[in-house]
Amino acid sequence: IITVSGAVEPLQVTLGEEGAEARMPLPEKTGQIQIPGAGTFPYVEFAGITQLILEDRETDCGLADRIIDHLREYTDWQAIGVMFLQGENLRPYVWVRELETRVWERSCGSGTLACAVWKGRQEQEGLFRLELTEPGGRLYASVIRREGRIAEAGIGGPVRLEKPVIRTYHLNPDA
C-alpha cells in the first residue's frame, strides 16, 4: 500500500512483469486554463493535486513559478504540478500549498497519469498507454476508456530498492 498525490486513500500496489503497478483514482476534471503572460495550458484535476501540462516547452523554473504564483492566488487548489513534457521526457515541478514547497520531483505518478489522460483524450474506446522518462527513471500510465469516458487509470514502472541514507546532525545549543 502506498500514498500518492492525486489519491485521497492509500493505493494497493501489485507486482507485475514491468515492476510495480497501482490503479489510480480517476481525474475529477480536465480542461485548459489561461495564465496571463504565460499562455494557455491543459490541466487535469485529481483529488488533492492539479497537474498542468506544458508540452514541447523547455524546462523553465521561472515560468513554472509564475504559473504557480498566479494559480495559488486565484484557485483553492491544494497542490499544483507543472509538467514539462517534451516527447517521451517529463520533468515534474510541484508546489504544495500547506507546506509552501516547490520541488523538482524525481518522478510524479499523478503527473504521468495526467499526461496520459491529456494525450489520450481523443480515444473513445480501449487502452491508451504512455511511457515517460523522468529524472528518477521510466514510468508508464494507462487509461482505459469506455464510451468516451475514462473507466480505469493506473501507473507503474520498475522498482529498485536502495540502501537508505541516514544522516545524524548534532546541533550545538551554545553556538
Side-chain angles (χ1 to χ4, degrees):
I1 294 180
I2 60 168
T3 57
V4 298
S5 61
V8 176
E9 300 292 324
L11 302 176
Q12 185 73 36
V13 176
T14 59
L15 295 178
E17 291 181 17
E18 297 182 86
E21 299 175 356
R23 181 172 287 187
M24 292 286 286
L26 304 182
E28 296 178 350
K29 186 177 180 182
T30 62
Q32 294 196 44
I33 191 164
Q34 184 174 13
I35 309 295
T40 300
F41 308 103
Y43 72 92
V44 179
E45 188 173 342
F46 297 98
I49 190 166
T50 301
Q51 302 286 0
L52 276 75
I53 301 158
L54 280 64
E55 195 167 4
D56 299 323
R57 300 283 295 257
E58 290 291 324
T59 301
D60 181 340
C61 190
L63 174 61
D65 283 335
R66 286 193 306 278
I67 290 169
I68 290 168
D69 289 342
H70 176 80
L71 292 173
R72 68 191 286 252
E73 186 174 340
Y74 293 103
T75 72
D76 62 353
W77 292 339
Q78 295 306 299
I80 298 168
V82 179
M83 302 294 110
F84 289 93
L85 177 63
Q86 292 185 316
E88 294 182 358
N89 296 300
L90 182 66
R91 188 72 169 104
Y93 187 67
V94 176
W95 166 79
V96 177
R97 185 180 299 274
E98 184 177 16
L99 302 174
E100 276 303 319
T101 57
R102 296 174 192 225
V103 176
W104 288 105
E105 299 283 357
R106 302 263 311 134
S107 63
C108 184
S110 62
T112 303
L113 180 56
C115 292
V117 166
W118 182 253
K119 301 275 290 177
R121 69 191 179 283
Q122 303 302 328
E123 301 291 325
Q124 292 298 307
E125 286 292 321
L127 172 69
F128 178 83
R129 181 180 157 124
L130 181 66
E131 191 167 335
L132 298 173
T133 300
E134 303 180 29
R138 301 269 304 163
L139 283 181
Y140 68 84
S142 57
V143 176
I144 297 175
R145 290 183 183 267
R146 294 189 187 101
E147 299 177 5
R149 295 186 176 275
I150 298 173
E152 296 179 39
I155 60 170
V159 175
R160 170 179 78 232
L161 298 178
E162 297 178 347
K163 184 177 176 183
V165 176
I166 300 172
R167 292 186 175 98
T168 304
Y169 296 94
H170 299 279
L171 301 177
N172 183 351
D174 299 327

